[in-house]
Amino acid sequence: MTKGNRYQRKDRPLKEVVSMNRSMIPLFAPVALIVACVVACGCAAADDQPIAVNTTVPIEHGWNQATAAILEQYVLTRANQETYDMFNGSTVSPDPAILLDSNKSPLYYRYYVQKNGKTVYAVQVSANKLLGTTVTAIGDFGYIGRDGSMTANESDSHGAEAGFVRGTPVPSYTDEYTRLMLDSWEVGDTYARNVVRDAENAGIDLSTPLSDEEREVVGEILREQIGQREQRIQEVEKNYRVSL
């Protein structure tokens, strides 16, 4: 850790801001509800023209999002000993399984949480910005084995089949709704990139297990960046008159 960095250890309890269960941890559910409500009421009619921007999420951005989500699980959730024990000392693999839609375009990336050489959990993030969210779920996705390892089948050590057709393509929406989805996704992406950036500036490598001192520093980074994320969410809500 770089000496003199503004992120210093503080003797105060870490705030619990995330939760988990043994099967799945849904994240950013409010945005998904907005999608369902807007589509159901017919407010998001499909455009005749395709989206003009590249909406595919870079894989390295997905890793940032998955890593930040896992850090929240065990750095900020000290009250949950089971969560802490599971994720403490873990890292996120940079090579995800890519889940495709029926047009064979990336729909989700599934990154694998590894600890002591074993895959123990997974983080699923959006591979298409038009989904409006970054991290969609953290869970075992049905692949946790009796020995605690996670595998889908004997030939796939990642626990999911790359190229698996996961769902229908994300449709094109009206310009305003498209901007809402892109802006909502950007909030989560900016948060994750800033977490990784601030850790790097503090001399911390998030691709390796954290020391006790590094966890304290990362906790301060997370708290600050979560506060900034909430401010960005409020700005989006104000601009589009929605509730995220």
Side-chain angles (χ1 to χ4, degrees):
M1 181 178 69
T2 303
K3 293 183 179 180
N5 190 277
R6 62 195 180 97
Y7 295 109
Q8 302 293 336
R9 295 181 56 179
K10 295 183 180 180
D11 296 327
R12 58 187 179 91
L14 289 169
K15 181 180 180 183
E16 179 174 339
V17 297
V18 290
S19 62
M20 75 165 285
N21 55 51
R22 293 297 296 173
S23 59
M24 194 70 67
I25 306 171
L27 302 175
F28 296 99
V31 176
L33 290 176
I34 291 173
V35 175
C37 292
V38 174
V39 173
C41 72
C43 298
D47 288 334
D48 292 332
Q49 299 298 324
I51 299 300
V53 297
N54 182 3
T55 61
T56 299
V57 177
I59 288 180
E60 60 271 21
H61 284 210
W63 182 86
N64 292 342
Q65 296 155 14
T67 296
I70 290 300
L71 288 172
E72 288 183 15
Q73 294 300 312
Y74 74 93
V75 173
L76 296 184
T77 317
R78 289 292 183 88
N80 188 328
Q81 191 65 40
E82 182 181 13
T83 302
Y84 179 80
D85 291 342
M86 173 179 290
F87 293 114
N88 182 37
S90 68
T91 58
V92 177
S93 171
D95 300 316
I98 302 175
L99 308 184
L100 307 178
D101 63 25
S102 57
N103 284 339
K104 297 185 179 181
S105 297
L107 187 62
Y108 297 109
Y109 297 137
R110 191 169 290 175
Y111 293 85
Y112 295 95
V113 184
Q114 299 177 337
K115 183 175 181 178
N116 298 326
K118 293 183 178 181
T119 300
V120 296
Y121 239 56
V123 185
Q124 187 161 289
V125 306
S126 299
N128 189 318
K129 299 175 185 179
L130 290 179
L131 291 173
T133 65
T134 51
V135 178
T136 62
I138 302 173
D140 57 29
F141 297 93
Y143 297 117
I144 294 292
R146 292 183 179 180
D147 62 351
S149 63
M150 187 171 70
T151 56
N153 53 58
E154 294 181 357
S155 63
D156 185 2
S157 60
H158 283 306
E161 182 182 355
F164 180 77
V165 176
R166 185 67 179 177
T168 58
V170 177
S172 298
Y173 297 114
T174 60
D175 288 343
E176 183 176 6
Y177 189 70
T178 295
R179 288 195 298 270
L180 169 60
M181 291 295 97
L182 293 176
D183 287 352
S184 297
W185 178 87
E186 184 65 29
V187 168
D189 184 58
T190 298
Y191 158 73
R193 285 189 287 112
N194 287 351
V195 168
V196 173
R197 177 205 63 197
D198 289 349
E200 290 177 349
N201 290 341
I204 299 173
D205 183 359
L206 296 180
S207 67
T208 61
L210 302 180
S211 66
D212 291 343
E213 184 177 4
E214 288 174 336
R215 282 196 301 274
E216 295 294 333
V217 175
V218 169
E220 291 301 314
I221 292 172
L222 288 170
R223 278 186 284 266
E224 177 174 331
Q225 289 303 328
I226 286 173
Q228 294 184 20
R229 182 182 68 190
E230 293 305 308
Q231 293 178 0
R232 297 187 191 102
I233 289 175
Q234 292 175 8
E235 292 172 0
V236 172
E237 291 178 330
K238 181 178 179 181
N239 289 339
Y240 294 98
R241 300 181 181 179
V242 297
S243 177
L244 301 178

